[in-house]
């Protein structure tokens, strides 16, 4: 789809210099933070270690893919996916080694996207997921729609399967050991999620929180004065539970970066928090979620009631109408919106924003029924599918 | 697009009877409401006038197209557009009389939709609008994008033109008289908006309000006990100004119908009001609005500040990316959102719902910047265009 990977780079060091008067040092590694003396130890290739002083330090070390401790995980043909470079390396491997049997481990966003793209390249692809359905950030009843979407793309799904090891021959992956037997493969993609790269901060005495992400206050300051943290390395407050959580998404990172930058420049703006709103595409299916799933609500000991409805993306007489399934989750006492999930055809996914804004505003499902949302036959039913779900939940709660 | 017009009828009288146990009398006309004695005078064709008693009366007489008092407005080939039947009659006229020069008067939703469809049928089409741009429910700077969209479809636009009369020959329209001369035409569509059909209510003593729509309280009761009003014949409260307004849209009618039905059955639910959220499509352009425009804010004596940004519907490396223009309007003191307008390619229009929900929740533009909206490259930039507009307005206000 994109021929030149440079087109995927948002800003170059040169642009930072020219447009923003910011010095960017690439290929420099910070190997220690000396919080007491407010300085960092910097190592550039071929240069002696040097100490750089700071007044304020922002840690934005991001996340790294979770790599399991299986034997053989370092073999040729085994890839974790995080960066642009990972994508380039996988593509080079495919071009040079022409793998025929790919296995993707993990049915989250990365695993699903990789599986779809491998199928587009004509490679036989198996996706292995430990849970009952792919997309663990959705409830299983919604995840089942995504599982079917993957099957429709020709991806073989092995659900409720777990991996125990990798078989290697001549330094290259040749099979995967699972609880259901050996699966031959010459390309193995690990889509097991990411973890915050917080070791450097931790060594400096910065307090960590959920999943070892850096604990931050609402202004994005860490536990140590003059040290801030943003993005995939930092926690973020969940707007529904009010509790710290870990959401490694670009949207959150960008917003935290903006707020920390303003606060560093003298402002005092709290970052209100996140809903974990996310969207992806699987073939022609659009998949989106926000707030808490049933499982997340249970973990947070939030009492909930849920409903799932099926409707259409536009009026039924349009030739390109498609099905849309909306799930809404609310507090059974107050009716306050707790979360939502959407799976459907073109035009479905971004409707999650309606739910996200309503949840941010602490609206109830009754409030949602009355919302003045846009209607015209090419765009929606007179009642938007999100409102049809809200109405169904109002009915269910009044029984 | 739709071969069988029956497919466009939501519910038949038979369905009402069978599914809902509701007697529907079509082709019956109520010619008088006797509020004092709680009865209506009903006239069915070929039957004597009869009085029907009521305990509660709901007036849902809807709206009618505004027809000007020009001479010749009753000529063959002149059509106002409101009902399904109007569409059928226009189509029959086109099929039998093969008009070659169509003129549409009025650049609102109906006028624009008619102009586009006439072009699709290959008929030379001119649209005449009194104001500087089409789509008076948008500000002129946004309307200009829609004007261009119409020109791209081959519609000839005559802006800032007014009509003074119709020339008729042998009972059929043959030209339109305007302030800029005579425009020959053999099909004339009037898209001058609608007015509430409130004469019957008015004669019964029911109090009228904005644009002669029936004044209702928040429970949708009229000024006379046991008489309710909903839909295009009734007023609705504007959520921004708190003042009564007139919005003749299906979304409002459906919500008012639901609330009045619940209240008639013993509930006591207020209808909170509307933003006038609306959406339409012009060729490949999606056009949407919510809340107040600059002109509406000025009329309501609401002080506002506005910004207009241009962004893209998805990340720029997708081949089907298109431009999206977002305008946001806010209170300059509090930053509270007052309105929004969107014009752009596929995937633009329904983003108006994000603005509508935020405005309903009385969010500020600062709140909007922090919203956790869904991002993935096929759907949006990391900052949703609505948030890019909110950021631009925050910057503008802090200057």
């Amino acid at each position: 789809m994109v021929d030149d990977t440079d087109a995927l780079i948002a800003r170059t060091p040169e642009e930072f210099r020219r447009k923003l008067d910011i010095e960017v040092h690439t290929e420099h590694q910070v190997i220690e933070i000396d919080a007491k003396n407010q300085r960092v130890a910097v190592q550039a290739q071929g240069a002696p270690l040097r100490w750089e002083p700071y007044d304020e330090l922002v840690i934005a070390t991001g996340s790294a893919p979770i790599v399991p401790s299986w034997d053989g995980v370092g073999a040729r043909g085994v890839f974790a996916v995080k960066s642009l470079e990972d994508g380039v390396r996988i593509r080079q491997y495919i071009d040079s080694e022409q793998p025929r049997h790919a296995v993707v481990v993990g049915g989250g966003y990365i695993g699903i996207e990789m599986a779809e793209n491998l199928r587009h390249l004509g490679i036989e692809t198996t996706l292995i997921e430990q849970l009952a359905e792919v997309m663990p950030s959705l409830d299983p009843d919604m995840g089942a729609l995504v599982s079917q979407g993957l099957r429709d793309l020709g991806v073989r799904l092995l659900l409720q399967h777990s991996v125990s090891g990798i078989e290697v021959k001549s330094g290259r992956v040749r099979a995967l050991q699972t609880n259901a037997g050996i699966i031959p493969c010459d390309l193995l993609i690990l889509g097991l999620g990411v973890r915050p790269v917080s070791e450097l901060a931790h060594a400096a005495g910065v307090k960590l929180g959920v999943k070892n992400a850096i604990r931050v206050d609402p202004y994005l300051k860490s536990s140590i004065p003059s040290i801030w943290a943003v993005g995939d390395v930092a926690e973020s407050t969940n707007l529904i539970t009010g509790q710290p959580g870990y959401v490694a998404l670009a949207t959150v990172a960008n917003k935290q970066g903006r707020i920390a930058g303003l606060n560093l420049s003298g402002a005092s703006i709290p970052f209100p928090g996140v809903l974990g709103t996310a969207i992806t595409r699987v073939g022609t299916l659009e998949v989106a979620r926000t707030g808490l799933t049933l499982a997340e609500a249970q973990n947070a000991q939030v009492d909930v009631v849920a409903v799932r409805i099926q409707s259409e993306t536009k009026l039924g007489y349009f030739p390109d109408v498609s099905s849309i399934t909306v799930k809404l989750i609310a507090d059974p006492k107050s009716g306050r919106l707790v979360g939502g999930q959407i799976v459907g055809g073109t035009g479905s996914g971004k409707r999650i924003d309606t739910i996200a804004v309503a949840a941010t505003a602490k609206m109830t499902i009754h409030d949602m029924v009355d919302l003045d949302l846009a209607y015209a036959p090419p765009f929606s039913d007179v009642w938007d599918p999100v409102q049809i779900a809200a109405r169904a939940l109002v009915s269910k709660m009044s029984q």
Side-chain angles (χ1 to χ4, degrees), chain A:
Chain A
M1 177 171 287
V2 181
D3 292 330
D4 180 3
T5 55
D6 286 348
L8 301 174
I9 293 170
R11 269 189 289 255
T12 64
E14 173 53 27
E15 283 175 301
F16 269 105
R17 207 163 0 234
R18 210 179 56 238
K19 294 186 187 168
L20 301 164
D21 195 23
I22 292 172
E23 279 299 309
V24 173
H25 300 285
T26 54
E27 295 180 358
H28 281 58
Q29 193 182 2
V30 171
I31 59 171
E32 192 188 331
I33 299 168
D34 176 0
K36 200 177 155 211
N37 298 302
Q38 299 202 180
R39 55 181 197 161
V40 293
V42 181
Q43 181 75 73
Q45 205 163 13
L49 185 102
R50 70 169 196 270
W51 286 96
E52 288 263 6
Y54 65 80
D55 294 321
E56 304 286 339
L57 180 70
V58 179
I59 302 180
T61 41
S63 59
I66 293 170
V67 177
S69 56
W70 308 326
D71 285 342
V73 85
R76 207 150 38 84
V78 182
F79 297 91
V81 191
K82 163 76 183 158
S83 66
L84 188 52
E85 287 73 25
D86 294 330
V88 172
R89 286 192 302 117
I90 294 168
R91 192 58 203 245
Q92 284 166 348
Y93 176 86
I94 290 170
D95 290 345
S96 66
E97 310 242 351
Q98 306 279 325
R100 295 178 53 198
H101 306 286
V103 171
V104 176
V105 183
Y109 295 96
I110 294 291
I112 283 177
E113 225 170 281
M114 287 302 305
E116 175 169 359
N117 281 296
L118 291 168
R119 285 301 303 147
H120 282 168
L121 295 174
I123 300 170
E124 185 200 290
T125 302
T126 301
L127 188 147
I128 299 181
E129 166 60 47
Q130 246 179 334
L131 300 176
E133 301 291 347
V134 299
M135 202 59 102
S137 62
L138 305 183
D139 288 322
D141 58 335
M142 298 294 285
L145 302 172
V146 186
S147 295
Q148 189 53 46
L150 283 168
R151 288 188 198 101
D152 293 345
L153 293 171
V155 175
R156 183 167 72 126
L157 289 192
L158 297 177
L159 302 172
Q160 294 178 297
H161 277 58
S162 57
V163 176
S164 49
I166 297 171
E167 290 187 5
V168 178
K169 190 181 174 185
S170 313
R172 195 175 105 157
V173 60
R174 77 159 184 189
L176 199 66
Q177 297 157 346
T178 77
N179 62 338
I182 301 291
I183 302 168
C185 72
D186 43 9
L187 171 59
L188 177 61
I189 306 285
L190 302 173
L192 297 168
V194 297
R195 57 168 189 83
V197 180
S198 56
E199 292 84 350
L200 197 66
H202 183 57
V206 171
K207 191 174 170 187
L208 306 186
V210 177
K211 292 187 180 174
N212 286 330
I214 296 176
R215 175 134 299 174
V216 286
D217 73 7
Y219 302 92
L220 301 170
K221 281 183 177 164
S222 78
S223 61
I224 293 185
S226 300
I227 298 185
W228 309 65
V230 296
D232 285 10
V233 77
E235 282 183 340
S236 49
T237 306
N238 185 291
L239 282 171
I240 304 292
T241 64
Q243 297 301 309
Y246 181 60
V247 175
L249 289 175
T251 43
V252 179
N254 270 268
K255 281 177 204 112
Q256 288 186 331
R258 174 180 171 275
I259 300 261
L262 289 167
N263 288 342
L264 274 162
S265 325
S268 186
I269 301 172
F271 180 59
V274 302
L275 293 164
T277 311
I279 190 169
T280 191
R281 201 167 64 178
V282 182
T284 58
L285 274 189
E286 301 183 359
V287 181
R289 55 91 68 212
T290 192
L292 306 186
T293 60
L294 288 183
E296 287 164 348
Q298 196 168 20
N299 284 344
Q301 298 186 293
V302 175
D303 199 19
V304 289
V305 58
V307 80
R308 190 182 71 245
I309 63 98
Q310 200 195 326
S311 181
E312 291 178 331
T313 51
K314 50 184 77 181
L315 288 197
Y317 53 75
F318 281 88
D320 58 348
V321 61
S322 48
S323 172
I324 172 172
T325 303
V326 179
K327 182 169 188 171
L328 281 186
I329 302 175
D331 178 300
K333 286 206 193 72
S334 63
R336 187 186 150 191
L337 192 60
V338 165
Q341 298 160 45
I342 296 176
V343 178
T346 302
S348 297
K350 276 292 265 179
R351 289 174 203 245
I352 202 74
D353 288 349
T354 305
I355 304 174
V357 184
T360 303
K362 303 192 190 307
M363 283 188 182
T364 66
I365 49 169
H366 305 87
D367 296 330
M368 291 192 74
V369 173
D370 290 328
L371 285 172
D372 193 1
L373 305 181
Y375 156 70
F379 297 98
S380 184
D381 202 337
V382 179
W383 293 91
D384 190 276
V386 167
Q387 291 181 301
I388 293 175
R391 269 169 51 192
L393 198 45
V394 166
S395 292
K396 188 171 178 176
M397 278 176 57
S398 67
Q399 276 163 10

